[in-house]
Amino acid sequence: MNSIESFSFVVTFLLGGVILVGCFVILVVLKSSSLKQSRFFLALAIFGLIQHLFTYLLFTTQLIKQWPHLLGVGYPLLYLVGPCFYLFIKSYGNSSFRLKTLDLIHIVPFILMLVVFIPRYTGNIEEKRAVIQYYYDILPNGTVAFSDWLQASSHLILLFVYATIALFFIHKKDQKNSILLKRFGILLIFLAVTELMIQTGFLLSGASAITTEIILSGLMSITILLLGYWIVDIKQILPVLEGRKYKTSPLSEVRSQEIQQQIQVFFYEEKRYLDPNLKIADLSSTINVPSHHISQVLSEKMNSNFYEILNHHRIEKAKEMLRSGALQKISVQAIGEECGFSSKTSFYRAFKKITSMTPMQYIEKNP
């Protein structure tokens, strides 16, 4: 096996692996019924990226020369990535969200590109091979037409615009899991800007398509892997995975209910949550239950985890102190410390995540 064949094998293996991971992430998203209709927008956005990664795979391995009829088949789907991501953000956590007639404007770019590509789809195989060879040839320096650049870059510009609008929407609405959602937006903006710069640079420098595809496929692969990692970190999607994780657990239904009651007593009656150094190991030793069984009960019965339920009780205590006028005697930071938070930053972060307000905004609404 020569060096070119070895390189082709490595690229095929890596890109193929990322494509499989991306398909798994899509299945996880679609199975998460708690995301309601927003899961379809997210799945379609990811699929748009994955199918383009498949195009990269065809070019980097030169399989496109053997299957020229696949040229540009999924390219119009790239014009759905930005709009679908925006609709995902808009519908995320909003059970009353419904698509309106005006929302059809978001699929106009996709339809336009579909119309533009119809002649390419219906062209004969020799025409397609000529186009493919054009992409592999070295482009003359400085002779790239603006129309060619625009056609190659318009989907990236569209993605940048929609991801930016989605970020403003997240900031304005302060949605649940807003930090993770902002990461999604920032990652897509980074992808759009970086690919735009790299692609423009290669076009102007006269590099062949194969060189460009290798660089861009690597960038796209990293994007899909990061998206996949962050997606399974969203609380609404985790139960899909947790259900499989605890499928073989020996914990019975009756025992699960007993542990749930023990956990509630630990937090409600003993108020151990006021301890700033409290850990799940402390809860485990107090109620004499293995920590992995506690995690299972918290996930399956209480739809939470240890630190979420811990912060929930701490914030409820803080809200009680704020309503009772404690702020007239001590500072906000002191209230947070009395409720078990080790710093002002962690207190503010947890308070805003749970109440969607800062402590001062809460006081204004609950004098």
Side-chain angles (χ1 to χ4, degrees), residues 274-332:
L274 298 177
D275 179 2
N277 299 313
L278 186 67
K279 296 179 177 61
I280 192 171
D282 301 318
L283 170 58
S284 175
S285 61
T286 300
I287 65 177
N288 196 26
V289 173
S291 58
H292 62 277
H293 284 172
I294 294 174
S295 297
Q296 179 179 346
V297 172
L298 287 172
S299 174
E300 294 182 340
K301 300 298 182 183
M302 306 175 74
N303 193 29
S304 184
N305 61 50
F306 177 75
Y307 289 103
E308 284 182 346
I309 197 170
L310 176 63
N311 283 342
H312 171 77
H313 285 286
R314 287 173 173 174
I315 295 303
E316 286 301 313
K317 176 65 176 177
K319 287 160 64 177
E320 179 185 329
M321 293 181 67
L322 289 170
R323 289 195 302 268
S324 68
L327 201 56
Q328 297 175 0
K329 301 177 182 178
I330 58 177
S331 65
V332 173

Side-chain angles (χ1 to χ4, degrees), residues 114-163:
L114 200 58
V115 172
V116 169
F117 268 71
I118 286 177
R120 186 169 293 180
Y121 296 148
T122 57
N124 60 55
I125 197 166
E126 294 304 324
E127 292 175 343
K128 292 180 180 179
R129 283 174 175 165
V131 173
I132 291 169
Q133 191 57 47
Y134 167 79
Y135 285 125
Y136 276 95
D137 289 339
I138 302 297
L139 299 177
N141 275 338
T143 60
V144 178
F146 177 75
S147 58
D148 292 336
W149 175 86
L150 186 61
Q151 180 177 326
S153 307
S154 54
H155 70 279
L156 297 172
I157 297 172
L158 190 70
L159 177 59
F160 173 80
V161 171
Y162 270 102

Side-chain angles (χ1 to χ4, degrees), residues 1-13 59-63 65 136 210 214:
M1 183 180 292
N2 58 39
S3 59
I4 295 177
E5 290 176 337
S6 300
F7 177 76
S8 178
F9 174 78
V10 172
V11 170
T12 303
F13 179 78
F59 269 90
T60 54
T61 59
Q62 300 196 35
L63 287 173
K65 292 182 178 179
Y136 276 95
I210 187 64
I214 291 172

Side-chain angles (χ1 to χ4, degrees), residues 251-258 301:
L251 207 59
S252 66
E253 180 67 22
V254 174
R255 182 55 181 151
S256 294
Q257 292 177 356
E258 291 175 352
K301 300 298 182 183

Side-chain angles (χ1 to χ4, degrees), residues 179-190:
I179 295 177
L180 279 172
L181 296 179
K182 286 177 181 178
R183 287 179 184 174
F184 286 7
I186 292 171
L187 180 62
L188 291 179
I189 289 174
F190 175 79

